[in-house]
Amino acid sequence: MGILARSAQIPSICSCPMVDASELAWRLLSKRYGAQLVYTPMFHAVNFVRDQRYRSDHLHTCPEDHPLIVQFCANDPEVLVQAGKLAEPYCVAVDLNLGCPQAIAKRGRYGSFLQDEWELIRKMVEMASKELKVPITCKIRVFPDVEKTIAYAKMIERAGCYALTVHGRTREQKGRDTGLADWEQIKAVKKAVNIPVIANGNIQYLSDADRCLMETGVDAVMTAEGNLTNPAIFHGIQPPVWEMAEEYIEILEKYPCNLSYSRGHLFKMFNHCFTLPECCEIRQLLARASDLYDLREVCVALRSHFQKYIDGSEQWSSEGSTLKFPPWICQPYVRPPVKPPSIEEVSTEKTEEESNPIKEGRKRLEPERQTGEDGEIVLSKKKAKKLLKNPNFIFKPDRKPIGKCASCRNQMGTKCAYSRCKKCCHDHCSVNVFDCTGHNILIKTKMEKAMKITNNNPVRSSNLPSTQS
C-alpha cells in the first residue's frame, strides 16, 4: 500500500485539512501527539498561482511538519497543475478538495459542488497525475445513492488518483443537519476500488479510529473535530484543556499565525468550560485577547478556576451534565441527533410564514403595484417594509433599462445626445466637431471660442521676425 513518495506507507491516522485551523503550529502539536500525516488548510488554486504574497502568507512548513499534503480547491485543470508545481517542493502529495459543502464553495464552484461535473473532475485529476512529480489525492463526500458513490470513486481512480479520502456524509449534511457519517458507504467504496482509502467522519476518540479500521477495512482514518477538541486524540489520552492550550501557545511563539486562528482553537478546546455561567468572565477575556500573553492569561485563569476540583478541596458535581468527563478534560463536542420535524412543528412554521408581516404588506398592495405581467411579486422586501410603516408611501418609478452604445458593447450614457458611451462619444465629437452636454464634451464650443479670440487679436506682421538677410 504505497503513498506519498509513491513508495512509502500510508499512515493509519491523519489530521484533517481544516480552513483557518490546520496551520503549521496546530499541525506540529498534532504530530507531537501521534498524528502520522497532516494536511494544510484548503488553498484556492487561482490565488496560489497568481499571488506570491498569498503563497508566502499561507504555506508555512518546517522539517518536523512532514509528511505533509497540500490541499487545493480548483475548477480548472491547468490552474490546479500550476498550483501543484509551486507546492510540490514542500509536500509529499497534492490533494484536490471535492468535499467542501459550504455556501462559499457553491458561489466559487468548487468542493462538493463539483461532484456533478464528472468530466471536469476527470480532467483535473488526470492532468495533475501526469504532470506533477508528487501524487494527486482527492477528498470527496458521498451521494445518497451508494451505487452512484461507487461509480464516482471508480471514475476518480481511473483518472489517476493515488489515494481517496471519503467523508461519509452527503453534501447536504452540514450545520445543524450534520448527523452521522455513513461508514457503510465508505466500506463499499473500499471494496470497489484498488487504491488506498482514508475514512473521514465520526472519529471522536482513538477507539473510534480503531473501530472504523475494523468495520470498513480502510487503510487509514482521518479526524477533524476530534482533533480540534483534543489534539492528543492520536495517543488516546485526554489531558486538561489548559495543558494542551499552553503547549500550543509555546509552539506559536516559534511559528506564529493569525491570532483569529489561535483564538479559535482555544475556544474549541475550552468550549465545555465556557458553557458554564461561572466561566463567563474568562470567556470574555479570551474574546478580548490581542496577543499570546493574553492567551496565556486565559489559560492561567481557567486552571485557577478549576484547581479546587482537581485538588479535591471541592467536589465537582456532574448533575445535569451530558459529558462523559469533567468539562476541563479534553473531549469532543457531540451534536444532538438530527430529528425530522414533527407535524406540530411543520404546522407552526406554516402559521408563522402566513403571518409574516412583509408578506402581509405585499398583499395589501393594489394589483398593479404588487404583481408583474406574469403574476409574480415584483416588490422588494425593503419596499414592503416601507409600505408597512406608511401605507400611502408612493415609490419613485423604476429606472428604464440603459441601452447599449451605438459604437461598442458598453452601456451608453443616459444623457448622451448621440447614444454612445463617454469614450465613443468623445471620438465621435472630435471627428465631427460636435458638442455633447450629457458627457460635458464641448469640442465645438471650445473651437468656436478659440476662433473668436484669434479673430479679435490678429498677429501683427511687424512682430514677426524679418526673413531678409
Side-chain angles (χ1 to χ4, degrees):
M1 180 182 59
I3 194 186
L4 313 182
R6 302 189 189 270
S7 59
Q9 291 284 313
I10 285 193
S12 61
I13 187 162
C14 319
S15 175
C16 193
M18 298 170 285
V19 174
D20 297 345
S22 55
E23 81 286 350
L24 176 58
W26 190 260
R27 298 197 301 266
L28 293 177
L29 179 64
S30 301
K31 289 184 72 66
R32 185 178 290 183
Y33 282 93
Q36 300 167 356
L37 176 65
V38 291
Y39 288 70
T40 67
M42 180 191 72
F43 299 144
H44 291 259
V46 172
N47 296 342
F48 199 84
V49 170
R50 294 180 180 176
D51 192 344
Q52 192 276 332
R53 183 172 180 179
Y54 180 90
R55 295 196 296 273
S56 60
D57 286 348
H58 290 80
L59 180 55
H60 302 136
T61 187
C62 64
E64 298 83 10
D65 194 29
H66 288 258
L68 171 69
I69 293 181
V70 176
Q71 188 186 68
F72 291 107
C73 66
N75 54 28
D76 185 310
E78 293 183 359
V79 173
L80 175 62
V81 169
Q82 292 173 26
K85 287 183 176 179
L86 291 170
E88 62 186 8
Y90 308 100
C91 62
V92 294
V94 168
D95 187 73
L96 176 60
N97 185 320
L98 297 172
C100 180
Q102 303 304 323
I104 192 171
K106 184 176 183 178
R107 292 195 298 270
R109 189 170 159 252
Y110 60 81
S112 64
F113 296 93
L114 287 181
Q115 68 179 20
D116 298 319
E117 300 185 45
W118 290 22
E119 182 61 22
L120 173 59
I121 293 173
R122 183 192 65 77
K123 288 179 180 178
M124 287 196 291
V125 176
E126 191 174 71
M127 184 176 290
S129 175
K130 292 177 180 178
E131 299 193 23
L132 295 182
K133 296 178 182 178
V134 296
I136 177 72
T137 64
C138 296
K139 187 171 186 291
I140 66 171
R141 285 194 170 224
V142 300
F143 290 90
D145 178 14
V146 65
E147 295 300 325
K148 189 172 183 179
T149 302
I150 291 173
Y152 184 48
K154 285 184 173 181
M155 178 275 295
I156 295 174
E157 178 188 22
R158 289 193 299 271
C161 179
Y162 195 67
L164 187 65
T165 300
V166 183
H167 188 161
R169 294 182 175 92
T170 64
R171 183 170 63 191
E172 292 70 33
Q173 286 182 275
K174 57 184 177 180
R176 65 178 185 178
D177 299 324
T178 296
L180 294 176
D182 188 351
W183 284 2
E184 289 300 317
Q185 288 234 35
I186 300 174
K187 181 179 179 180
V189 170
K190 175 57 188 172
K191 287 183 177 180
V193 300
N194 297 313
I195 56 176
V197 175
I198 304 173
N200 181 211
N202 303 349
I203 309 299
Q204 305 282 13
Y205 298 95
L206 185 61
S207 58
D208 295 329
D210 296 334
R211 186 164 55 89
C212 183
L213 287 167
M214 288 186 60
E215 291 185 14
T216 62
V218 294
D219 304 280
V221 293
M222 175 184 287
T223 177
E225 291 187 349
N227 176 218
L228 289 175
T229 53
N230 181 14
I233 183 177
F234 309 100
H235 271 176
I237 60 176
Q238 294 171 270
V241 290
W242 50 79
E243 289 185 5
M244 289 289 92
E246 288 171 344
E247 201 165 341
Y248 172 58
I249 295 169
E250 179 187 335
I251 299 173
L252 282 173
E253 291 178 345
K254 186 176 181 181
Y255 300 107
C257 71
N258 191 312
L259 187 67
S260 64
Y261 302 169
S262 49
R263 191 193 291 117
H265 280 301
L266 266 60
F267 266 116
K268 289 182 178 69
M269 285 191 283
F270 298 164
N271 176 64
H272 297 303
C273 298
F274 286 164
T275 57
L276 304 174
E278 61 200 77
C279 294
C280 182
E281 291 185 4
I282 304 177
R283 180 187 177 91
Q284 292 301 317
L285 191 64
L286 178 56
R288 293 191 299 265
S290 59
D291 54 31
L292 296 185
Y293 176 81
D294 292 343
L295 299 184
R296 285 189 181 278
E297 288 296 303
V298 174
C299 297
V300 171
L302 205 62
R303 182 197 292 266
S304 300
H305 180 79
F306 289 103
Q307 192 64 45
K308 54 190 176 184
Y309 303 115
I310 297 173
D311 295 342
S313 56
E314 288 190 28
Q315 187 69 28
W316 170 256
S317 174
S318 59
E319 185 179 353
S321 174
T322 58
L323 300 177
K324 294 176 64 175
F325 305 97
W328 62 84
I329 297 298
C330 286
Q331 57 191 303
Y333 167 73
V334 180
R335 291 190 182 91
V338 179
K339 296 180 180 179
S342 62
I343 298 175
E344 292 80 7
E345 290 173 336
V346 172
S347 60
T348 303
E349 287 179 3
K350 287 184 177 180
T351 304
E352 290 176 353
E353 185 177 347
E354 290 170 358
S355 61
N356 189 320
I358 293 178
K359 291 190 175 182
E360 288 297 321
R362 287 180 173 176
K363 289 178 181 178
R364 286 162 47 193
L365 299 174
E366 57 268 30
E368 64 270 13
R369 292 172 67 188
Q370 182 183 357
T371 59
E373 295 178 356
D374 299 328
E376 79 280 6
I377 294 176
V378 296
L379 193 70
S380 67
K381 290 183 178 180
K382 188 175 181 180
K383 288 184 177 180
K385 287 180 180 179
K386 286 185 178 180
L387 201 67
L388 281 175
K389 294 179 181 178
N390 183 5
N392 298 320
F393 187 87
I394 299 176
F395 298 105
K396 293 181 180 179
D398 293 334
R399 292 182 179 179
K400 295 180 180 179
I402 301 173
K404 298 292 184 181
C405 172
S407 301
C408 69
R409 300 178 63 183
N410 294 326
Q411 287 185 343
M412 71 176 191
T414 54
K415 297 180 181 180
C416 180
Y418 308 106
S419 302
R420 285 174 166 80
C421 65
K422 187 168 185 177
K423 183 180 182 303
C424 294
C425 182
H426 188 279
D427 296 341
H428 178 70
C429 292
S430 298
V431 172
N432 298 287
V433 193
F434 290 157
D435 284 349
C436 177
T437 55
H439 281 127
N440 197 27
I441 299 171
L442 307 175
I443 292 177
K444 181 180 179 181
T445 301
K446 290 179 180 179
M447 186 172 290
E448 290 176 349
K449 187 176 180 180
M451 291 289 292
K452 187 176 180 180
I453 293 173
T454 303
N455 293 333
N456 292 338
N457 299 283
V459 179
R460 296 181 180 177
S461 58
S462 58
N463 293 334
L464 295 176
S466 175
T467 57
Q468 296 179 358
S469 57

